[in-house]
Amino acid sequence: MPTNVLILGGTADANGLASRLSGDPRYAVTLSLAGRTLAPRVLPVATRVGGFGGAHGLSAYLNDNAIDVLIDATHPFAERISANAALAARQTGLPLLTFGREPWRPVTGDAWTEVADLAAAAAALPEHPARVFLTVGRQSLAPFAAKPQHHYVIRVIDAPDIPTALTDTLIVVGRGPFTEGAEIELIHKHRIDLLVTKNSGGEAASAKLAAARALKLPVILVRQPAPAGGHVLHTPDAVLGALARFHGDLAKRSV
Ligand code: NAP
């Protein structure tokens, strides 16, 4: 019997795990997306879209679909779904593997101001008008209404609703990964004074920080929240290894 795996996704990491597991006869994999991205990448695994209705809804889904293992590979800043996953795993007694990304750490040449949240990031912006490169995601723009004096270059995957207080904005639609060279070009092209981003960790989104370092550009970085729970693993290989062990245990129990 294949092990039924539910991957909570919405990230390149989740897509990578799903792609590596697809076609493996040991597993029946379902990828779950919140439905935020209009045209998500199409992957060779079963995909479901939309919220579960909180932790209890997720527990019910896990029971109804005889899921054996839950993998939380959501974005490190997607705190609600991760909290729900931790609670649902406790409620159902299912193993939870959490794909955790190591936060980026400053190295020589970085000019980072690290802050606790998006409101603090907005507060850390200067009072005089500046040209700000904002890569925090389209759901996270509201706090910047507190600083409408800036010109914001906002990079998103899908066009966002701009807070009405922000009147000087330019939307750049793009989906990473980006190269350091492309990020430098973008920073030059838009005469950016500083970058505001989330400390998401991982490689797919780190080129902008390398570009900022190369250009001695100040960065305001929102600290990554701690993982909500589960067995936290930091590489796809570690997640797949733990999954293979669960599969082996389940297979032994069923003979
Ligand atoms: P969130 O605040 O943690 O979650 C809000 C609600 O959206 C959850 O309570 C859940 O609804 C639903 N949801 C979230 N992820 C889901 C998933 N993978 N499958 C099914 N339902 C899900 O999440 P968010 O920050 O809005 O992020 C939404 C999605 O975008 C996540 O999947 C995340 O991986 C991805 N993402 C987020 C960021 C970011 O910066 N936050 C960046 C890149 C990608 P119910 O309670 O009804 O189940």
Side-chain angles (χ1 to χ4, degrees):
M1 285 289 282
T3 295
N4 292 328
V5 181
L6 178 69
I7 303 177
L8 301 173
T11 59
D13 298 318
N15 292 350
L17 285 171
S19 299
R20 285 181 64 180
L21 289 169
S22 75
D24 186 328
R26 292 175 295 174
Y27 308 110
V29 178
T30 302
L31 177 68
S32 174
L33 304 175
R36 301 281 194 277
T37 305
L38 295 179
R41 286 193 204 288
V42 178
L43 292 161
V45 294
T47 302
R48 66 162 300 287
V49 181
F52 298 94
H56 291 288
L58 177 54
S59 293
Y61 178 94
L62 297 170
N63 285 327
D64 293 349
N65 292 277
I67 300 297
D68 299 304
V69 181
L70 177 60
I71 299 180
D72 178 3
T74 59
H75 191 272
F77 281 81
E79 292 184 79
R80 253 193 300 159
I81 185 70
S82 291
N84 290 349
L87 186 53
R90 282 200 298 277
Q91 285 171 344
T92 56
L94 287 186
L96 169 63
L97 304 178
T98 299
F99 187 94
R101 295 194 210 156
E102 292 283 7
W104 296 311
R105 315 261 178 222
V107 299
T108 307
D110 282 325
W112 292 5
T113 301
E114 293 185 77
V115 295
D117 54 29
L118 290 159
L125 285 170
E127 293 307 322
H128 63 268
R131 299 177 67 84
V132 179
F133 182 22
L134 199 51
T135 69
V136 290
R138 71 183 172 121
Q139 316 276 335
S140 301
L141 301 175
F144 296 92
K147 288 281 177 75
Q149 64 269 51
H150 301 303
H151 172 73
Y152 290 98
V153 175
I154 302 172
R155 186 166 64 203
V156 281
I157 294 177
D158 294 311
D161 292 329
I162 303 290
T164 44
L166 298 184
T167 52
D168 189 4
T169 58
L170 178 79
I171 304 302
V172 177
V173 174
R175 195 195 306 240
F178 305 97
T179 63
E180 181 181 338
E183 298 290 47
I184 287 177
E185 203 177 304
L186 185 147
I187 290 168
H188 277 315
K189 179 176 171 195
H190 297 290
R191 295 176 284 115
I192 296 297
D193 298 313
L194 57 87
L195 165 68
V196 180
T197 193
K198 294 174 174 173
N199 193 336
S200 306
E203 293 189 358
S206 64
K208 58 190 172 232
L209 293 171
R213 187 177 310 130
L215 299 173
K216 300 187 171 37
L217 201 72
V219 179
I220 297 171
L221 204 62
V222 182
R223 277 191 208 96
Q224 191 181 118
H231 182 36
V232 183
L233 299 156
H234 290 107
T235 64
D237 284 346
V239 174
L240 296 181
L243 190 57
R245 285 191 291 282
F246 281 120
H247 172 76
D249 289 347
L250 283 175
K252 263 187 243 153
R253 262 184 266 152
S254 65
V255 287

